[in-house]
C-alpha cells in the first residue's frame, strides 16, 4: 500500500487510535457505539416513535436520512430538506445525536448546522469535491466504503477529508459486490481488522446494507463486534413491512432490543467501555 505512506490516515504505531467524542458520545477503540434508525425519515410520528425506542434500548445516535440515493428514480427519494424541521424536533424529544447523509454540497451548510454527524454514502465515496467540502466542516463524518473500492482506495478517500482539516472520520464497512447474490452485498468482515492495522480511524459496520436480509443482521452485527469494530450503523423501523425503503433488512423494535442485549453481553466480555454503561 505504497500510496498510503506519509498520509494522515496512516497508523503511526500499534497503539495509535483516534477517539472521536461528540457531545459525550464516543467512537473509537475500546468503545462500541450503535447508530440506529430507519433507512429514511418518513413521518414525524414514525421518527419520534423510533427515536424514543432506540434511545431507550441503548443506541446513542439516531440514523435520520433526509435524502436517499435510490437505484430507481421512481422510488422514495427521502423527505428532502424540509425534513430539517424533523431534526429540530428530534433534538427536543430525545438526547440522541442525529446522523444524516449528505448527498450534495447544496444542503451541506444546513445539514451541518442541524445534524451532529454527517454521512457520505457508498456512491459518493469517490465524490472528491463533496469529500473536501465535508472536510471543511467540524462535524464527525461517517464515510461508507464504495461497494467496489479496495481498502487503499477507501483510505485515500478518507484522506481527502483529513487533508483539508477534518480528522473526525469514522470508516464504515457496508459490504462489497461479489458474485454471491443471496445477500445484497458481501460483508467484508476482515476489512475491520485490516483497517485497524492500517489506520488509526474508528471503524464501524453496516449490517443492514451488507446483508440486505433482516434474518442475517444479528449475525453480521455480532461478527462485527467480534472482529473489532467500534460500532454499528443499523436500520430499525417499528413496522418494517410498511417502510418506504429497505424494510426487508430493517429490524423491528423487538428484534433490535434482543440484538442489543446480546451485543451488550458480548461487549462486556470483550471489556468495551461505553456500550455496557449505556444499558446498565
Ligand atoms: C444508507 O446507509 O442509507 C445507504 C444508502 O447505504 P450505502 O450508501 O452503503 O448504499
Ligand atoms: Mn437503507
Amino acid at each position: 500500500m505504497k500510496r498510503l505512506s506519509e498520509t494522515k490516515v496512516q497508523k503511526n504505531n500499534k497503539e495509535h487510535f483516534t477517539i472521536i467524542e461528540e457531545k459525550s458520545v464516543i467512537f473509537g477503540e475500546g468503545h462500541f457505539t450503535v447508530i440506529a434508525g430507519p433507512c429514511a425519515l418518513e413521518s414525524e410520528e414514525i421518527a419520534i416513535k423510533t427515536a424514543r425506542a432506540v434511545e431507550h434500548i441503548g443506541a446513542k445516535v439516531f440514523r435520520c436520512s433526509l435524502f436517499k440515493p435510490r437505484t430507481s428514480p421512481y422510488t422514495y427519494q427521502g423527505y428532502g430538506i424540509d425534513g430539517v424541521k424533523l431534526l429540530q424536533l428530534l433534538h427536543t424529544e430525545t438526547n440522541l445525536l442525529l446522523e444524516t447523509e449528505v448527498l450534495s454540497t447544496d444542503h451541506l451548510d444546513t445539514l451541518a448546522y442541524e445534524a451532529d454527524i454527517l454521512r457520505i454514502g457508498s456512491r459518493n465515496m469517490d465524490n472528491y469535491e463533496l469529500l473536501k467540502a465535508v472536510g471543511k466542516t467540524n462535524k464527525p463524518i461517517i464515510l461508507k466504503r464504495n461497494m467496489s473500492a479496495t481498502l487503499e482506495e477507501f483510505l485515500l478517500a478518507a484522506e481527502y477529508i483529513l487533508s483539508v482539516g477534518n480528522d473526525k472520520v469514522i470508516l464504515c464497512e457496508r459490504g462489497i459486490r461479489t458474485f454471491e447474490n443471496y445477500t445484497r452485498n458481501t460483508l467484508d468482515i476482515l476489512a475491520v481488522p485490516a483497517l485497524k492495522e492500517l489506520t488509526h480511524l474508528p471503524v464501524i459496520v453496516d449490517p443492514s446494507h451488507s446483508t440486505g436480509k433482516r434474518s442475517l443482521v444479528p449475525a453480521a452485527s455480532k461478527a462485527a463486534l467480534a472482529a473489532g469494530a467500534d460500532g454499528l450503523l443499523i436500520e430499525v423501523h417499528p413496522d418494517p413491512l410498511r417502510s418506504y425503503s429497505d424494510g426487508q433488512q430493517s429490524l423491528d423494535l423487538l428484534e433490535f432490543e434482543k440484538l442489543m442485549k446480546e451485543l451488550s453481553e458480548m461487549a462486556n466480555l470483550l471489556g468495551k467501555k461505553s456500550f455496557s454503561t449505556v444499558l446498565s
Side-chain angles (χ1 to χ4, degrees):
M1 301 231 172
K2 242 167 60 200
R3 285 184 295 184
L4 286 182
S5 66
E6 308 291 316
T7 55
K8 293 179 193 296
V9 293
Q10 194 189 25
K11 203 164 164 141
N12 295 333
N13 60 63
K14 264 185 120 176
E15 298 311 315
H16 181 199
F17 295 111
T18 285
I19 301 287
I20 298 175
E21 185 166 353
E22 188 70 15
K23 299 184 184 162
S24 15
V25 173
I26 299 177
F27 285 91
E29 182 68 14
H31 301 265
F32 196 75
T33 307
V34 177
I35 305 169
C39 177
L41 282 196
E42 297 170 6
S43 69
E44 185 178 312
E45 192 199 331
I46 294 178
I48 291 181
K49 181 174 177 180
T50 319
R52 284 196 182 130
V54 300
E55 181 174 31
H56 178 72
I57 294 168
K60 299 281 198 85
V61 185
F62 190 52
R63 187 194 142 95
C64 40
S65 303
L66 301 180
F67 297 94
K68 290 306 305 165
R70 303 301 302 282
T71 305
S72 164
Y74 305 115
T75 52
Y76 183 59
Q77 303 285 305
Y79 211 95
I81 199 66
D82 282 355
V84 295
K85 290 183 292 209
L86 276 179
L87 301 192
Q88 290 158 354
L89 189 66
L90 285 162
H91 274 307
T92 63
E93 293 286 326
T94 74
N95 290 316
L96 292 163
L97 299 197
L98 303 181
E99 183 262 5
T100 201
E101 178 163 359
V102 183
L103 276 188
S104 127
T105 50
D106 294 354
H107 309 118
L108 178 56
D109 289 349
T110 311
L111 294 177
Y113 185 77
E114 302 292 349
D116 302 293
I117 300 178
L118 303 175
R119 179 183 352 121
I120 298 292
S122 321
R123 290 157 193 79
N124 274 316
M125 188 205 89
D126 313 292
N127 184 340
Y128 302 121
E129 290 308 307
L130 187 57
L131 297 179
K132 284 188 270 183
V134 297
K136 289 186 188 127
T137 72
N138 61 0
K139 298 285 168 164
I141 309 295
I142 293 180
L143 177 65
K144 297 189 85 174
R145 180 183 183 182
N146 182 296
M147 53 204 93
S148 58
T150 62
L151 295 184
E152 188 184 39
E153 287 160 346
F154 187 21
L155 287 170
L156 287 169
E159 185 74 13
Y160 267 90
I161 303 174
L162 273 78
S163 71
V164 292
N166 186 347
D167 56 6
K168 294 190 273 185
V169 176
I170 300 159
L171 302 169
C172 181
E173 160 59 33
R174 48 79 71 209
I176 53 173
R177 279 255 165 106
T178 67
F179 57 84
E180 180 55 68
N181 60 7
Y182 181 68
T183 49
R184 183 173 179 178
N185 292 281
T186 297
L187 173 59
D188 182 8
I189 195 67
L190 288 184
V192 175
L195 286 167
K196 288 266 179 181
E197 277 177 6
L198 293 166
T199 180
H200 52 91
L201 296 171
V203 180
I204 64 170
V205 165
D206 174 345
S208 310
H209 295 89
S210 56
T211 60
K213 283 186 163 71
R214 180 179 312 118
S215 62
L216 300 180
V217 167
S221 304
K222 289 180 239 175
L225 173 54
D230 303 312
L232 297 173
L233 171 65
I234 180 164
E235 290 185 337
V236 176
H237 192 286
D239 191 357
L241 295 181
R242 283 175 203 244
S243 166
Y244 293 172
S245 56
D246 287 349
Q248 77 292 346
Q249 65 190 33
S250 302
L251 297 186
D252 67 24
L253 298 173
L254 281 177
E255 290 166 329
F256 180 59
E257 186 168 14
K258 179 171 182 284
L259 173 61
M260 287 291 274
K261 284 196 178 128
E262 291 166 359
L263 289 170
S264 170
E265 283 168 24
M266 271 181 78
N268 276 331
L269 281 175
L270 292 167
K272 297 283 175 189
K273 295 166 206 148
S274 55
F275 191 92
S276 42
T277 53
V278 189
L279 288 178
S280 59

